[in-house]
Amino acid sequence: MMKRLVIALGGNALGNNPEEQLNLVKHTAKTIVDLCEEGYNVIVGHGNGPQVGMINLAMDFASNNGANTPSMPFAECGSMSQGYIGYHLQQSIKNELNFRKLNKNVVSVITQVVVDESDEAFKNLTKPVGMFYSKEEAESIAKEKGFTFIEDAGRGYRRVVASPQPRKIVELDIVKELADSGNIVITVGGGGIPVIEKENGLLQGVAAVIDKDKSSAKLAKDLDAQMLVILTAVDKVCINFNKPNQKELESISLKEAAEFKEQGHFAKGSMLPKIEACMDFVEKSTDGKALITSLEKAKEALHGETGTIIYKK
């Protein structure tokens, strides 16, 4: 039986605009197909930070400047980003499969992820999205639409949304069915479209951004994957990063990861959520391991030649 990998693609595997992204994902596709050729059953998750912000910005600008464009809810912006990122990945991976004469299908699943309406993140909005406004404009929009704004790095005011924990992947069964059939599946794009479950069992989109590493960890656990692979910009995780005593980590236990985290070795905006996602997967899985490495070195890392492994004991 093929080993199952859930891969979480970082922003360096994508791009800040459609042209840049389409060029970058050609290289991303080579790595993913390399792993398929190694005999792995690959499921791909990805981020959407720049992309969903771009879509939200465009929709806001058009709506606020008389272009006869309706205001677009944030959940819908997230679904649009899933669609177009998925299209680029799907096309590039299929092209690479065809180039290597590999008979394998690849599919993108527009994926909803349930979050808890009472999650503390909804009381502490931290994720900036969309365009910049003056203080007066922000106050006017906040009054009209109930949005929350913060001043962002001296460049103006931006809307902020919640970043809640993923609780359930709505389309999990079909993702599993597709993966079990040997297909490459692209799912939980941007962490998934955040939805809440109402008392009547109906789903409703909410304005939020779920961390893609945490959703990928949840997916890996639910699919009983042997490994969660987080591909980022560095070959290995470091402690004392950018200091004279910087040290690369080849492998660490859950206990060691927790100690390094407590000591403040992992930056909040970059490595910390990746470490937390890996720890969560390893702790909850039966015997799964997590790997953090660069996109370029993924194949070598799976052979133990680079990367940082996080294991249970």
Side-chain angles (χ1 to χ4, degrees):
M1 187 174 179
M2 290 190 297
K3 284 188 176 181
R4 175 164 291 171
L5 304 180
V6 171
I7 296 176
L9 296 175
N12 61 312
L14 304 173
N16 293 311
N17 58 62
E19 294 77 16
E20 179 184 349
Q21 179 169 285
L22 195 54
N23 183 57
L24 282 173
V25 296
K26 292 176 183 176
H27 302 288
T28 305
K30 293 180 188 296
T31 295
I32 292 170
V33 176
D34 280 346
L35 301 183
C36 291
E37 282 195 311
E38 292 278 307
Y40 293 105
N41 177 216
V42 179
I43 299 99
V44 181
H46 62 80
N48 73 343
Q51 296 84 359
V52 72
M54 177 184 68
I55 293 167
N56 185 245
L57 174 67
M59 291 296 181
D60 278 358
F61 182 83
S63 177
N64 293 325
N65 286 275
N68 199 30
T69 300
S71 177
M72 190 63 63
F74 195 76
E76 277 72 4
C77 291
S79 67
M80 290 178 186
S81 73
Q82 272 197 10
Y84 109 76
I85 296 170
Y87 153 62
H88 279 177
L89 283 169
Q90 183 175 306
Q91 183 185 81
S92 295
I93 294 168
K94 187 61 178 175
N95 285 344
E96 186 65 23
L97 289 166
N98 289 342
F99 176 76
R100 302 190 197 188
K101 295 181 171 56
L102 297 175
N103 185 24
K104 185 180 285 286
N105 292 315
V106 55
V107 62
S108 301
V109 178
I110 302 300
T111 313
Q112 303 169 92
V113 174
V114 175
V115 298
D116 190 342
E117 193 172 9
S118 62
D119 192 305
E120 285 297 314
F122 287 106
K123 299 177 184 178
N124 181 29
L125 309 183
T126 58
K127 179 67 176 177
V129 297
M131 67 186 295
F132 291 90
Y133 296 94
S134 68
K135 184 177 181 180
E136 293 74 19
E137 289 171 331
E139 289 174 346
S140 176
I141 297 170
K143 184 176 181 180
E144 177 187 353
K145 298 183 178 181
F147 294 167
T148 300
F149 288 82
I150 62 166
E151 196 278 326
D152 187 359
R155 294 174 293 174
Y157 287 76
R158 294 178 77 192
R159 182 186 177 189
V160 286
V161 297
S163 185
Q165 297 294 318
R167 300 298 179 189
K168 183 173 74 175
I169 298 166
V170 177
E171 288 76 19
L172 179 67
D173 288 346
I174 189 62
V175 170
K176 185 177 187 304
E177 184 177 327
L178 288 165
D180 285 347
S181 299
N183 302 292
I184 301 171
V185 186
I186 301 162
T187 182
V188 295
I193 304 163
V195 296
I196 56 173
E197 285 184 315
K198 308 301 286 185
E199 289 183 3
N200 54 12
L202 299 180
L203 301 174
Q204 177 182 309
V206 292
V209 175
I210 306 170
D211 181 84
K212 64 100 167 71
D213 294 319
K214 293 181 179 179
S215 287
S216 295
K218 172 69 174 166
L219 179 68
K221 169 61 176 67
D222 291 349
L223 291 177
D224 198 25
Q226 282 71 46
M227 186 173 284
L228 169 67
V229 181
I230 295 183
L231 299 181
T232 185
V234 296
D235 295 344
K236 294 182 180 181
V237 177
C238 295
I239 55 174
N240 302 311
F241 184 66
N242 272 345
K243 296 178 180 178
N245 59 340
Q246 175 177 306
K247 179 184 178 181
E248 293 182 334
L249 303 173
E250 293 186 1
S251 64
I252 53 175
S253 66
L254 269 179
K255 181 181 178 182
E256 289 170 321
E259 290 172 351
F260 289 140
K261 174 186 170 183
E262 181 69 22
Q263 293 164 8
H265 284 287
F266 308 125
K268 286 186 177 181
S270 56
M271 190 54 70
L272 181 60
K274 296 172 177 56
I275 292 290
E276 289 177 336
C278 289
M279 290 173 64
D280 187 56
F281 167 67
V282 172
E283 183 177 17
K284 293 177 180 176
S285 67
T286 304
D287 57 359
K289 297 179 180 178
L291 168 67
I292 300 176
T293 192
S294 64
L295 174 69
E296 295 76 16
K297 296 294 181 65
K299 184 176 177 179
E300 290 92 331
L302 285 168
H303 285 285
E305 297 170 13
T306 188
T308 300
I309 290 283
I310 300 174
Y311 58 94
K312 189 165 289 187
K313 291 183 180 179

